[in-house]
Amino acid sequence: METQDYFAYLVDHIHSTVAATTDDSGMPVTCVIDMMDWDENGVYFLTAKGKGFYSRLTKRKFLSVTGMEGESTMTSRSLSLRGSVKEVGPSFLPRLFEKNPYMAEIYPDEASRRALTVFCLYKGTGEWFDLSTKPIQRASFSFGGAESEGEGFFITDRCVLCRLCYSKCPQKCIDISRRPAVIQQENCLRCGNCYDVCLARAIVKRKDL
Ligand code: SF4
Ligand code: SF4
């Protein structure tokens, strides 16, 4: 999928996400936030200026969100975005209310909407994780000009092709037909079993997983 397909999936299929910010002590704070619209510039959501969420957003200018669709873990598709946010203001409210008519039941008239404002998550990285397929499917992407972080486990030239990693891999997503063996990133759980068992220390871990 393209980046904008992920945005559309988040807004139109998942919609309600768990959103994380940090407080003044640097501790995480989560809340449920609906992702209400998207375009080529990012994903849009609203909040009220009286909320602690608004205060944290304007101070940190950073947000991490995760949403999941599916009736059970084994049928789930999840999407996470993390990155920079900016306040685009109340001029975006009519557009969000038009796309999300249920909001009119919560904020029925113009007077009740005066405290609302809109933010855009415009630059960052994303992670798609689909457990409904076998093997699992995952994808990483970036948007708004952010650098892709390239996370995961990777096999280096130190590989002696002993195949031990393959025997311990729950997804069997290591190509052992060549040396060095290659991890198929799109199917990898990032569990670290391969990393732990490799006696040749041929497997490296990049970034936080
Ligand atoms: S366990 Fe290490 S050395 Fe053996 S095949 Fe896997 S990566 Fe290569
Ligand atoms: S991290 Fe886990 S799923 Fe990924 S290749 Fe290694 S053992 Fe397999």
Side-chain angles (χ1 to χ4, degrees):
M1 293 201 287
E2 301 294 326
T3 298
Q4 292 188 12
D5 296 326
Y6 293 118
F7 288 170
Y9 198 91
L10 186 65
V11 171
D12 299 331
H13 291 273
I14 294 177
H15 199 63
S16 294
T17 66
V18 175
T21 50
T22 54
D23 65 15
D24 289 342
S25 311
M27 301 301 284
V29 185
T30 57
C31 55
V32 174
I33 297 292
D34 287 354
M35 295 292 123
M36 294 193 171
D37 202 3
W38 66 275
D39 61 20
E40 67 280 7
N41 297 313
V43 175
Y44 298 86
F45 57 95
L46 64 76
T47 188
K49 291 186 176 181
K51 295 189 181 209
F53 180 59
Y54 174 80
S55 171
R56 293 189 296 276
L57 283 177
T58 50
K59 281 184 186 171
R60 312 270 174 256
K61 298 183 170 38
F62 192 90
L63 184 70
S64 183
V65 298
T66 294
M68 191 181 97
E69 185 192 52
E71 292 186 358
S72 71
T73 301
M74 295 314 296
T75 61
S76 69
R77 297 184 179 98
S78 63
L79 185 59
S80 298
L81 298 180
R82 63 195 302 268
S84 302
V85 294
K86 61 184 173 190
E87 185 172 358
V88 294
S91 63
F92 278 67
L93 282 173
R95 165 178 162 179
L96 265 57
F97 271 77
E98 187 178 344
K99 183 155 181 171
N100 302 271
Y102 67 92
M103 287 303 295
E105 294 180 30
I106 306 170
Y107 295 98
D109 50 35
E110 290 301 321
S112 65
R113 297 173 194 174
R114 275 199 195 121
L116 298 179
T117 187
V118 178
F119 282 82
C120 178
L121 176 52
Y122 69 97
K123 178 180 180 182
T125 56
E127 184 83 12
W128 166 258
F129 197 63
D130 186 349
L131 267 173
S132 69
T133 62
K134 289 205 183 321
I136 63 103
Q137 294 286 329
R138 80 179 317 144
S140 301
F141 58 96
S142 59
F143 56 95
E147 298 254 326
S148 180
E149 294 173 343
E151 297 178 356
F153 290 94
F154 296 83
I155 300 177
T156 67
D157 288 346
R158 296 181 67 160
C159 172
V160 295
L161 207 57
C162 68
R163 298 180 175 82
L164 194 53
C165 54
Y166 182 83
S167 72
K168 303 292 184 190
C169 174
Q171 289 291 309
K172 300 296 179 222
C173 63
I174 303 174
D175 179 358
I176 50 171
S177 67
R178 49 187 157 158
R179 189 174 79 85
V182 175
I183 293 174
Q184 291 151 351
Q185 297 295 330
E186 69 276 17
N187 306 130
C188 175
L189 288 170
R190 297 183 183 168
C191 64
N193 279 347
C194 54
Y195 178 81
D196 286 342
V197 300
C198 179
L199 298 175
R201 292 275 172 246
I203 301 179
V204 295
K205 177 182 176 183
R206 285 193 203 150
K207 298 262 189 179
D208 302 326
L209 295 175

